[in-house]
Each structure stands twice: as structure tokens, then as C-alpha cells.
Amino acid sequence: MTSLFQSVPVHPSEITPKHVYLSRRDFIKVAGVLAGSMALAACAPQSLSSDSAPAPADPSLSSKTDELGDPVNSFEDITNYNNYYEFTTDKRGVAQLARDFPTSPWEVEIGGLVRKPGKFGVEDLVKKYPPEERIYRLRCVEAWSMVIPWLGFPLWKLLKDVEPTSDAKYVSFTSIYKPEAMPGQREPWYPWPYREGLRLDEAMHDLTILATGLYGGELPPQNGGGIRLVVPWKYGFKSIKAIVKIELTAEQPPTLWNLIQPNEYGFYANVNPNVDHPRWSQATERRIGEIARRPTLMFNGYAGEVAALYEGMDLRVYY
Ligand code: MTE
């Protein structure tokens, strides 16, 4: 397998504009990351071993397809080939390291520019917003993809209930910070905790879900349990795992990958075969479980639903 870490020269001027978003503490952390010159990197998927995978809650889902007719990936692939840097950068090592990570009970705090802030247990959220099955393609920025049968509810339902104020323009998401249980967080290279963000209209889009399960069962720790975001038309790194905080903001929030390598990982990160990553092409992808590469679709095949969100925007600038 190709090494995850590649030495990437980054000129200090490339991050200068981002300083406005950073507190001094954040900046020091980011500087540390840049010193290490590390980045999410292209990988070469291989076939997966079946040793450690438990059975899916609903095996019959394996015969389902997405709306384009592509079969869902196996439970084994979905739960044993993961990006979760809080544990490890080794995709096949995440499941084992995350095995005992407690995902229940789980609480999410929602605040910022909302009239009704609060703390919500995932069990209560699931009662209030019954999970729907959503079969989505997940396209990683590293140019591999899967089809995953999620269980989740549209984020807009929750956002509507907390009543964003008219100043709210963005939604910021923060993952759990628990270095005693997450060995990757004990490494100094990344500005933990993992953070992501969406524009409010993206967050309110019906395709955007908070996932609480997959394959008819619970959300395994390696896939982001207790609760994670899934935004299917964006590169996978936007779909932040193990969320503990959601904040409505007026300004575009900082995000982990954008802080580390702003020239490689934009805030928008819409899947776009016409805009290459500086170090590799985004024109094609490798579906896990397949040999031949397939063309990458604009907005990961969801252009009909989401292209209007970006009308008039130059997607080479807002990458
Ligand atoms: N969320 C957190 N907190 N930490 C991570 O390292 N990796 C991202 C995203 N969410 C990541 C994360 C990336 S790069 C991808 S491709 C997807 O999770 C992978 O999701 P999966 O392992 O469920 O397929």
C-alpha cells in the first residue's frame, strides 16, 4: 500500500490568509503540522481481509443498489477500510483500534447562532427523527469510493428545531477529543479535534444527513459512532465522524484539512472530476471491490440535486 504520508512542500504564504481564522493556539498547532509536511494522500486500495468483520445487522441489504444501479459495498469492506486519523492512518487498522471505543451513550451539543441551543442524546435524536435508509456513494478525496447503506436523518430537521438566527450562515462540526482512547490524537501532527463545516444552505439540503447506523444496524465506532455527518456530493473528509458539537456561525469556520493544506483541501470540497488535486487526478476513481477505475461523476452523481447551490461560483476557485 502506498504510504499515507508524502512530503509536500508548502510555502508559508499559502496559509497566510487563513491566519485570520486562527487563534494563537490553533496557529501553533498548524505550524507544527506544516513542519511535518503531512497530508492526506493517494492510496492504492487492495482486497480486504475478512478476519475481523462481524456480521451486518441486515445482510439482505447487500443485494441493494444505489439509484444509479451500483451495488452496495459489503459490510466487511465498509467496516474494515476506514479513514479515521484519530485512531491511525492505516485504513485497515482502524477497526481493530476502535473496537472498544464507547459510542453509547453519546451526546451532541448544539449552539452558536440559534434560539434554542441544547445538548441532545443520540438515543433521543433517533426517537425524534426516525432514521431513514439512505444508500449513498462515498467518494474519498484519495480517489477511492464505496456505496454505503446508511441509517440517518436529515440534518435540516434538527437545525430547524434549534432555530438558527438570521445571522447564521455556516455550520461548524467538531469531533470528540479523547486522546486516552484515540492513539492518533496523541500524535502532535494534526490540529485536533477534527473539525468540518458547511454553508447553512448545504447543511439544510435534504441529502445531508446525520448518520446513526449502517447496514440496518448501529454505527460502528470505526465509521463514526455515536453520530456522524454524511454529505454525499462532497469528498469524504467533509463527512466528519464522532460529532460532539455543532455550532451555527456567521463566518466560515476553520476545518482540519483546510488548516493543514489549504491549497489541497478547500472548504467546499465538492466532488469534481474537472478539478484535480494538486498531486493526483480526480477524473477517475477506484470503487472498492472493483479492479477497473471508473469515471468520477460531477458532484459524485448528485448534480441534479445540488448544482443549483453553486450557481455563479467558479468551482476552480471555490474547490
Ligand atoms: N472524521 C474524523 N473525525 N476523522 C477522520 O479522520 N476521515 C474522513 C471522514 N471523516 C475522518 C472523518 C475521511 S478522509 C473519509 S474518506 C471518511 O471519513 C471515511 O469514512 P468511512 O471510514 O466511514 O468510510
Side-chain angles (χ1 to χ4, degrees):
M1 182 167 152
T2 312
S3 167
L4 281 156
F5 297 124
Q6 297 184 353
S7 219
V8 189
V10 180
H11 195 273
S13 66
E14 284 169 351
I15 63 161
T16 307
K18 288 289 165 202
H19 293 182
V20 290
Y21 297 126
L22 302 178
S23 69
R24 187 172 152 68
R25 187 175 136 262
D26 284 334
F27 177 66
I28 289 164
K29 279 190 186 170
V30 172
V33 171
L34 287 169
S37 288
M38 293 181 167
L40 199 63
C43 64
Q46 301 158 359
S47 61
L48 302 169
S49 105
S50 58
D51 301 348
S52 54
D58 182 355
S60 75
L61 289 176
S62 61
S63 60
K64 287 206 172 184
T65 65
D66 65 11
E67 82 287 3
L68 302 179
D70 288 333
V72 300
N73 277 87
S74 68
F75 181 77
E76 185 191 322
D77 284 357
I78 293 168
T79 58
N80 283 279
Y81 190 81
N82 303 102
N83 264 338
Y84 204 165
Y85 279 32
E86 285 90 332
F87 287 100
T88 173
T89 54
D90 171 11
K91 291 175 186 20
R92 286 180 194 77
V94 176
Q96 177 66 23
L97 283 172
R99 206 183 45 186
D100 300 323
F101 185 73
T103 58
S104 174
W106 191 274
E107 275 197 336
V108 190
E109 190 184 341
I110 306 183
L113 300 173
V114 296
R115 283 191 198 86
K116 296 183 170 168
K119 265 198 168 178
F120 303 88
V122 168
E123 279 163 28
D124 299 327
L125 290 175
V126 167
K127 276 186 209 136
K128 197 163 177 202
Y129 314 110
E132 305 168 15
E133 183 180 276
R134 298 279 183 111
I135 299 179
Y136 285 158
R137 293 168 292 286
L138 180 133
R139 185 0 175 125
C140 180
V141 73
E142 298 165 329
W144 55 266
S145 62
M146 294 202 201
V147 180
I148 303 180
W150 300 106
L151 287 172
F153 60 89
L155 175 61
W156 66 259
K157 291 189 176 178
L158 175 59
L159 292 179
K160 189 166 146 269
D161 286 350
V162 296
E163 298 183 10
T165 68
S166 57
D167 296 334
K169 299 283 183 287
Y170 294 88
V171 187
S172 164
F173 303 85
T174 307
S175 296
I176 193 166
Y177 181 67
K178 208 174 187 184
E180 66 279 16
M182 302 176 119
Q185 284 184 336
R186 301 200 287 268
E187 304 293 336
W189 310 118
Y190 296 95
W192 306 117
Y194 198 101
R195 281 180 286 177
E196 259 309 332
L198 295 173
R199 232 170 46 192
L200 183 56
D201 58 346
E202 297 176 322
M204 295 294 285
H205 195 284
D206 190 60
L207 285 178
T208 304
I209 60 166
L210 285 176
T212 54
L214 62 77
Y215 249 102
E218 288 175 359
L219 189 60
Q222 62 267 40
N223 294 94
I227 193 165
R228 76 170 295 169
L229 185 70
V230 183
V231 194
W233 71 94
K234 292 180 179 283
Y235 290 121
F237 68 86
K238 299 294 289 183
S239 292
I240 178 174
K241 298 177 173 183
I243 299 168
V244 292
K245 196 161 141 200
I246 300 177
E247 228 182 332
L248 285 277
T249 63
E251 306 295 333
Q252 183 179 302
T255 67
L256 182 135
W257 286 109
N258 187 247
L259 286 171
I260 295 172
Q261 292 282 37
N263 61 325
E264 299 196 347
Y265 308 105
F267 177 81
Y268 281 90
N270 292 315
V271 175
N272 188 341
N274 308 313
V275 177
D276 287 339
H277 186 280
R279 289 181 284 130
W280 59 85
S281 165
Q282 294 292 25
T284 64
E285 66 200 53
R286 161 87 192 277
R287 179 67 47 86
I288 300 298
E290 294 180 357
I291 307 285
R293 297 184 76 82
R294 47 165 72 214
T296 285
L297 304 175
M298 189 64 206
F299 295 112
N300 203 20
Y302 302 96
E305 288 92 336
V306 303
L309 292 172
Y310 308 102
E311 241 166 44
M313 286 174 66
D314 182 345
L315 297 179
R316 289 184 181 274
V317 175
Y318 296 98
Y319 55 89

